[in-house]
Amino acid sequence: MKKPISILLSLLLCFGTLCGCSAQEESAQDQGTEPVPQEEEVSDEINYADNAFLQQNYPTRGTAENLNTRPLQEGEEIAVITTSMGEFRVRFFPEVAPLAVENFKQLASSGRYNNTIFFRVINNFVIQGGDTTNTGSGFDSYNGGTFADEFSEQALNLRGALCMANQGTANTNGCQFYVVQAPQEALTSNIWTQLRERMDRVYPDAIKVLYQTYGGCPWLDFSYTVFGQVYDGMETVDAIAAVSTNEQDKPDTDVVIQSITLTTYTSAEQQSAASTASETSTASTVTPAA
């Protein structure tokens, strides 16, 4: 049966880059000769003027403020996502993704996410849920239908990013979302060369540093809207990602979103929660869990 979520296509690319030999290497092995060394990464400073991907998506060459790692502010709106395996908390990026943020908030506050499941879970990649029909194929937004993509160099698919899933074509966001779970060690040392060769993407050095520091899935950037970030409870996300699944990546035992509560961040509340959590974040040093 055809899988409706195009995010899996990106996962296949990921597996190809992480696990597969290049055609050049296979040819060399067949001929009993040494593989030809890969060309070294060319400096972004040299490539920028001639690279459409850089010019379109990174006008500041990646030096703009990154929202994923920006410190939380007192009174900032957050969501507490309570699941059958624990809770995690997210912040929002209305500055760059107002449509996605409002859609999520409306679905959450109306209770339509309650008792839905994480229907696709892939360790070292993402956990995906938010289908209000619990079938894996529902895509209606709060207002019905779908809405436009909202991409920004300031909001990336770093570990812990909260993002919209889509139907594989532009502007098909609805109700489904995913959380990036991939840790730092999931990135291979030559990931940037592989992405340049396979997707014609060249990334600024500042963006490479962010991914190398925190982990995540850079190949998903500018294909899926990033509208928030987990700032507390990544241990819950990791636990969900580690559950046993079937061939369709559906957990053998349902992981249920019991409720999503919208509230505001306070440093006092966070310090209280951190005292009993195995991983903590504070108002001054909130970053994706690495």
Side-chain angles (χ1 to χ4, degrees), residues 14-30:
C14 173
F15 283 168
T17 57
L18 301 186
C19 304
C21 292
S22 69
Q24 187 179 61
E25 288 173 332
E26 290 173 347
S27 176
Q29 290 167 358
D30 291 341

Side-chain angles (χ1 to χ4, degrees), residues 2-7 119-120 135-137 139 166-168 176:
K2 182 178 179 182
K3 297 180 185 294
I5 312 302
S6 66
I7 193 171
F119 62 88
R120 185 158 297 129
T135 64
S137 58
F139 270 98
N166 61 39
Q167 299 178 60
Q176 293 188 26

Side-chain angles (χ1 to χ4, degrees), residues 74-259:
E74 196 83 10
E76 186 173 336
E77 190 167 28
I78 63 167
V80 181
I81 301 177
T82 303
T83 80
S84 54
M85 295 185 66
E87 74 173 35
F88 58 94
R89 299 178 176 222
V90 300
R91 67 187 307 178
F92 298 116
F93 303 152
E95 307 96 319
V96 296
L99 298 177
V101 170
E102 185 61 22
N103 179 70
F104 182 90
K105 288 166 52 180
Q106 292 284 1
L107 287 168
S109 61
S110 67
R112 287 173 59 184
Y113 280 142
N114 294 356
N115 300 313
T116 60
I117 62 173
F118 286 100
F119 62 88
R120 185 158 297 129
V121 168
I122 305 173
N123 201 21
N124 291 327
F125 186 44
V126 303
I127 63 172
Q128 184 173 337
D131 179 3
T132 56
T133 70
N134 259 352
T135 64
S137 58
F139 270 98
D140 281 346
S141 67
Y142 177 74
N143 291 320
T146 57
F147 60 92
D149 296 323
E150 298 169 297
F151 303 143
S152 172
E153 66 174 321
Q154 297 175 274
L156 305 174
N157 277 269
L158 295 177
R159 172 169 159 84
L162 175 66
C163 318
M164 295 302 302
N166 61 39
Q167 299 178 60
T169 55
N171 306 317
T172 55
N173 303 291
C175 56
Q176 293 188 26
F177 63 85
Y178 66 90
V179 176
V180 177
Q181 183 268 333
Q184 179 187 26
E185 56 267 26
L187 293 175
T188 60
S189 60
N190 66 343
I191 186 67
W192 308 111
T193 298
Q194 294 282 349
L195 292 177
R196 187 182 72 243
E197 292 176 347
R198 294 178 182 236
M199 298 181 71
D200 194 29
R201 291 188 172 192
V202 178
Y203 294 78
D205 292 337
I207 300 302
K208 295 178 184 178
V209 168
L210 282 171
Y211 277 105
Q212 290 162 354
T213 301
Y214 299 115
C217 303
W219 57 91
L220 300 180
D221 288 341
F222 309 108
S223 296
Y224 302 92
T225 296
V226 180
F227 67 99
Q229 175 72 38
V230 175
Y231 72 88
D232 185 55
M234 274 302 292
E235 67 272 15
T236 297
V237 176
D238 286 334
I240 295 171
V243 302
S244 61
T245 59
N246 63 20
E247 292 181 354
Q248 285 72 47
D249 302 313
K250 183 179 183 294
D252 294 326
T253 300
D254 283 349
V255 181
V256 181
I257 298 174
Q258 298 172 333
S259 66

Side-chain angles (χ1 to χ4, degrees), residues 18-63:
L18 301 186
C19 304
C21 292
S22 69
Q24 187 179 61
E25 288 173 332
E26 290 173 347
S27 176
Q29 290 167 358
D30 291 341
Q31 298 172 12
T33 59
E34 291 294 324
V36 177
Q38 289 186 333
E39 180 182 354
E40 292 185 2
E41 182 75 54
V42 179
S43 168
D44 294 332
E45 293 300 320
I46 296 174
N47 280 329
Y48 189 87
D50 301 318
N51 189 274
F53 176 78
L54 275 175
Q55 292 180 40
Q56 177 179 351
N57 297 308
Y58 293 106
T60 72
R61 304 195 184 192
T63 60

